Amino acid sequence: MTVIPVALGARAYDVVIEDGLIDRAGKRLFSFARDGRLIVVTDEHVWAALGERFVTGLGGLDAVPIIMPPGEASKSWSGLATLVDRLLELGIERSDHLIALGGGVIGDLAGFAASIVNRGCGYVQVPTSLLAQVDSSVGGKTAINVPAGKNLVGAFHQPELVLIDPGCAATLDPRHVRAGYAEIAKYALIEDAGFFAWLEGNGAAVIAGEPEARRHAIATAVAGKAKVVAADERETKGRRALLNLGHTFGHALEAETGFSDRLFHGEAVAAGTALAFQFSAARGVCSKEDAARVYAHFAEVGLPTSLAEAGVTASGASLVEAMMTDKKKEGGRLPFILARGIGQAFVDRSVELDEVRDFLDEAR
């Protein structure tokens, strides 16, 4: 078992990583149950795959499931309204804790609902996808998507515990696993060149689910995120912005593919990260060799590395327009996360959008 603290003072919590944890979750969740009841927010696919195991692992606690449709469509105004209405029907109180059992969509949706229902209640993340385990379950960012863009309505609302069972990802299809792997590689590319070198030799084992390799990868990525979140919880000091490596390009790719299963979030991050390194090299701040290593590694593990592989044919102007809906823009300017090399990401506020447009047109 690995326990990683997220040091946030009064809002501090632990991330517990252990194989088989879902089968004994009740020991960890007992203190969060009110009168023996836990409200579990999940989706149809996760509940079908893991619901019976999870309920058995509660050891007698009463699980009341709220089962949402799978996919990004649930992470919306209508999905939020459905969830909140159901919570109120169940008589939720401020002392209750929602259990978010699922991937990034469920974690974001349940966390946001917890932040607003009755003006706020607690929640626990039990992420079941590799992407959620290494990224979205930690850090307290909750949100829904709206017509204007991705994650534009939400709140910072930290969970009170995160329980990660690496074996849950065994229920995923290979494409979802690879999408989650992109976020693992992202942490290495931000500030851990040694970890990226390890991934170059062990990435296939992580994706294949080799237990020791996957546990190490998850723990390393979570520890990296916990460190950044503790230093910059609300992304006001610049450090947490580094976690958006690949996301400015990636969110534009998601927008062009309709935030759909045509391009999973992790796949967009992979293509966006490859583009960020290529753009850094084009600007002369990163070596072409390091950009080529990123491209080669993502290609080797089966992740998209280009606009074409992401299924995007839009012009540079169209992609830049999509980027400008990004909530991180300041004074009309959009900060970009670029890199001086592998493990050397930085925030660049000097980038001109015309330069990005021309780069993307050339990348097509």
Side-chain angles (χ1 to χ4, degrees), residues 165-247:
D165 182 344
C168 287
T171 64
L172 302 175
D173 65 56
R175 187 180 166 203
H176 278 98
V177 173
R178 288 193 297 270
Y181 180 85
E183 292 282 2
I184 294 174
K186 180 194 75 175
Y187 289 105
L189 292 168
I190 288 170
E191 60 178 8
D192 194 340
F195 183 38
F196 186 73
W198 183 88
L199 289 173
E200 287 177 304
N202 296 276
V206 174
I207 290 173
E210 195 283 314
E212 185 175 349
R214 185 168 286 183
R215 279 195 305 271
H216 175 72
I218 291 172
T220 303
V222 168
K225 182 160 191 181
K227 180 180 176 182
V228 171
V229 169
D232 186 13
E233 180 183 3
R234 292 177 173 262
E235 208 170 291
T236 58
K237 302 173 184 176
R239 181 162 171 73
R240 187 165 180 173
L242 296 175
L243 298 177
N244 293 312
L245 176 64
H247 285 62

Side-chain angles (χ1 to χ4, degrees), residues 41 66 68-69 71-87 105 109-110 112-113 144-145:
V41 183
I66 300 176
M68 303 294 295
E72 288 279 336
S74 285
K75 192 174 148 178
S76 61
W77 283 120
S78 61
L80 179 65
T82 297
L83 176 55
V84 169
D85 285 345
R86 181 66 178 129
L87 291 171
V105 167
L109 177 63
F112 188 31
I144 59 170
N145 303 328

Side-chain angles (χ1 to χ4, degrees), residues 257-276:
T257 52
F259 296 106
S260 69
D261 287 353
R262 288 171 54 196
L263 185 69
F264 292 159
H265 175 69
E267 294 171 329
V269 168
T273 299
L275 288 167

Side-chain angles (χ1 to χ4, degrees), residues 33-78:
R34 180 169 65 87
D35 299 327
R37 183 186 79 161
L38 290 170
I39 300 175
V40 182
V41 183
T42 187
D43 72 33
E44 295 165 1
H45 290 168
V46 172
W47 194 247
L50 295 169
E52 185 175 349
R53 282 181 62 191
F54 181 72
V55 170
T56 300
L58 291 179
L61 293 175
D62 181 25
V64 180
I66 300 176
I67 303 174
M68 303 294 295
E72 288 279 336
S74 285
K75 192 174 148 178
S76 61
W77 283 120
S78 61

